Amino acid sequence: MTDPRTTAERLVRRFARETNLLVAGRTFSVEGTDAVADELRRLLPALGARLGTGSVTFAPGRADEILADGAPLPARTTAAARVDNAGAHMPVSTLIAARLREQDLVRGIRIGIAMVLEPKTAQLALLLRDAGAEVVVYAHPDEIDVEVAEVLRDRGIPVDGDPALSGAEERAAAVAFLHRGIDLLLDDGSHLIRLAHEEGIPVKGAAEETTSGLTPLRLMQESGLLGIPVIAVNDAAMKTSFDNRYGTGQSCVFAIADVLDGAGIGLRDQPAVVIGYGPVGEGVAAHLRAFGVEIAVAETDPVRALRAAHDGHRIGPLAELADGALVISATGAPHTVDTATLTAAKIVAVAGGVPGEVDVDVSVLEPVGVHLDRVADGALLIAQGGCVNLAAAEGNPIEIMDLSFAVQLGAVEQLLTRDLPAGLHPFPPEADQAIARAALDARGDTIDTPSREQRDAQSEWRSRRYLAAAGEQETSA
């Protein structure tokens, strides 16, 4: 018989899986007084949710155990339904796209989107198209939902991408996409930005979505090789603070738990080691902790290692921590999980991910379950070492990608309204703040504003300690 804690965890994961919505920041109602209801009331706040009167209700033990606005969860049985459902939960991106349309900024501009193609990305493409842009989409072979691609094609947006491509054919397809005459490129991993530079294909500007994509672009900039302006979308507070920590944290840990559950393995059946304690690693560790998993962290950065220790995690070298553990790489760097780790660990998964993050030849893997393979006599490998939240789930929650894509749309606005030289450019703080305010408005939340006295005090550079003694007053703003 399943224990109440596991039943509660499965219900929460089912809500996320069937809706692709975020748990953190949401208010849930929990009905009932049994042990499962009690576990839900414990788990949900640990995941960042609030308990109260919410639009989503858990009613364990009833015929419909999860209700949305009093009804069973809506079915998302087709790709078109998944795309449209994503659009219904992306108010901030919709607002920014409407501004682009009203300003007539993108009319006649060809915008290439080179990102993981799933329902939220499809909505980004549709929003830009509806704002007046000419939109073309590219997806890497391991990052394309072919049904979503067909939805976009049916709605008039060209999509380049084929899961059967590899090697020289994959590169040729990417080059052909770049030859479509792209003005602005919205990239994920900077693969297409870098390829355009290698091939000498002109692009006027770009925006980069990820940490792993910005790292090589910084090397290019330092070497004088970055020939176009690129907005560092990943570094915007409204992207990294939410996408990496809450989005990737939830989607990866929930996907890992679902895969292991299908194989009869509990998330708490072994300790976990999180490799890397940047925003993704923090989010993964926080979600593992909510599920009661014993966590250790392996880091190469001393500051991040200390942060992990002060968050209550054991820290140490990976070689000393990996034995018999669930090892989750959160570095976004190649060769993070080597063959020694694959031999010592019990299970290995990748959160986020770049090609080659796990040193494994996938052709020799032995399938043992859905999204689960055995590495010779070593670890179980989830999703063949690829991005677990994409291969075994539906990517980050919709509301999270709403914020990230709002920043991407803001980056398009910046590239078209500012005369930016070649190089990496930060997303302006004032634009970040505007997106945050729009997100608060969409939630129906209000916050304080500084008083005049507070603003005046902030505008005075002289020390308040000595003003009174000098018989002077603060300068009014």
Side-chain angles (χ1 to χ4, degrees), residues 429-450:
E430 60 274 16
D432 229 3
Q433 290 284 310
I435 290 172
R437 291 190 190 96
L440 287 171
D441 288 344
R443 290 171 53 89
D445 291 333
T446 57
I447 60 173
D448 289 329
T449 56

Side-chain angles (χ1 to χ4, degrees), residues 132-443:
E134 299 175 15
V135 181
V136 291
V137 175
Y138 177 83
H140 303 293
D142 57 338
E143 296 181 350
I144 182 170
D145 183 324
V146 293
E147 294 180 347
V148 171
E150 282 305 310
V151 171
L152 283 183
R153 293 182 184 120
D154 289 344
R155 298 183 185 184
I157 295 179
V159 178
D160 293 351
D162 184 342
L165 297 179
S166 63
E169 290 182 334
E170 179 184 348
R171 182 185 178 107
V175 170
F177 172 77
L178 289 169
H179 277 300
R180 282 182 173 274
I182 293 166
D183 296 308
L184 302 181
L185 181 59
L186 309 185
D187 208 351
D188 181 331
S190 71
H191 304 290
L192 274 292
I193 296 173
R194 288 178 279 166
L195 185 60
H197 281 74
E198 285 183 50
E199 296 287 331
I201 302 172
V203 175
K204 295 178 182 178
E208 171 50 41
E209 175 84 0
T210 65
T211 306
S212 57
L214 287 177
T215 299
L217 293 182
R218 290 193 172 97
L219 292 176
M220 292 176 67
Q221 180 169 255
E222 291 168 4
S223 303
L225 299 175
L226 187 57
I228 60 172
V230 180
I231 303 292
V233 165
N234 179 77
D235 291 350
M238 287 304 296
K239 194 279 181 182
T240 295
S241 298
F242 298 90
D243 188 313
N244 297 19
R245 190 187 192 284
Y246 298 101
T248 308
Q250 172 179 305
S251 61
C252 287
V253 172
F254 283 25
I256 291 168
D258 284 342
V259 170
L260 295 181
D261 205 359
I265 303 170
L267 198 60
R268 290 185 297 278
D269 289 353
Q270 57 284 307
V273 178
V274 178
I275 311 176
Y277 206 68
V280 169
E282 287 184 9
V284 168
H287 284 78
L288 288 170
R289 172 175 275 174
F291 283 116
V293 179
E294 177 188 337
I295 308 162
V297 172
E299 247 296 354
T300 57
D301 184 295
V303 175
R304 288 179 172 178
L306 283 170
R307 283 171 53 189
H310 283 75
D311 282 342
H313 305 306
R314 177 187 172 198
I315 59 173
L318 178 60
E320 296 178 7
L321 301 172
D323 190 36
L326 163 61
V327 174
I328 304 173
S329 176
T331 64
H335 310 299
T336 295
V337 179
D338 58 17
T339 54
T341 303
L342 284 170
T343 300
K346 180 180 177 181
I347 305 160
V348 171
V350 173
V354 296
E357 197 157 335
V358 178
D359 291 337
V360 65
D361 179 358
V362 298
S363 67
V364 301
L365 295 176
E366 177 188 350
V368 296
V370 179
H371 299 301
L372 198 61
D373 298 276
R374 175 76 66 182
V375 183
D377 294 328
L380 293 170
L381 182 62
I382 299 178
Q384 297 189 338
C387 304
V388 66
N389 59 341
L390 300 175
E394 203 175 355
N396 282 351
I398 297 169
E399 305 98 321
I400 288 295
M401 297 313 298
D402 181 30
L403 300 179
S404 293
F405 288 160
V407 178
Q408 285 281 4
L409 292 165
V412 168
E413 184 177 30
Q414 296 296 315
L415 288 164
L416 293 174
T417 58
R418 298 170 62 197
D419 185 16
L420 297 172
L424 281 171
H425 299 273
F427 190 67
E430 60 274 16
D432 229 3
Q433 290 284 310
I435 290 172
R437 291 190 190 96
L440 287 171
D441 288 344
R443 290 171 53 89

Side-chain angles (χ1 to χ4, degrees), residues 54-57 66-74 89:
S55 61
V56 178
T57 299
I66 311 175
L67 302 171
D69 295 318
L73 295 177
H89 294 279

